[in-house]
Amino acid sequence: MSGPRRDPDMVRPYVRTQGRIRAREDVRLESVVIAATGPTDTLGPDARRVMRLFAGADGGLAVADIAAALELPPSTVRILVSSLMDSGHLASPVDATDDQPDFDLLQEVLRGLRSMV
């Protein structure tokens, strides 16, 4: 009797992220990142795949778009992008935390929506 059939493309997320388990807080699915110049030959295979997406891109790519193009889990791509930002291979033109609505405004909107129901 043979063991369970294994998909050769199935790689655990922590292997893809080289053991890193968290992304930077400012790397979200809607975050747009741009590629910086520099050598990529020392990067892991998945990081090189991320960088190859920028070869034909005019401008930046959202983290969600990178995940879709590579067919990888979004959480894994967030960590990969975060690592590439830390190494200087990727940059974010806009700090995601600068674009947050005021908490009081969100509370007011929530109260208004609840009053409509």
Side-chain angles (χ1 to χ4, degrees), residues 2-91:
S2 64
R5 186 171 177 192
R6 294 185 181 174
D7 183 356
D9 293 328
M10 182 64 171
V11 178
R12 297 246 183 227
Y14 63 85
V15 173
R16 292 188 182 277
T17 62
Q18 298 171 348
R20 191 168 177 174
I21 58 171
R22 282 193 179 74
R24 293 170 26 169
E25 288 187 31
D26 62 338
V27 177
R28 302 184 312 198
L29 290 178
E30 66 271 14
S31 298
V32 175
V33 292
I34 56 174
T37 58
T40 59
D41 54 337
T42 59
L43 298 175
D46 287 312
R48 286 194 307 270
R49 288 178 62 206
V50 170
M51 296 305 295
R52 277 195 294 269
L53 291 175
F54 289 93
D58 290 332
L61 294 171
V63 174
D65 294 333
I66 295 169
L70 298 179
E71 297 180 352
L72 290 175
S75 58
T76 301
V77 173
R78 285 185 62 226
I79 296 169
L80 286 169
V81 166
S82 181
S83 294
L84 288 166
M85 289 176 74
D86 290 345
S87 68
H89 288 90
L90 294 178

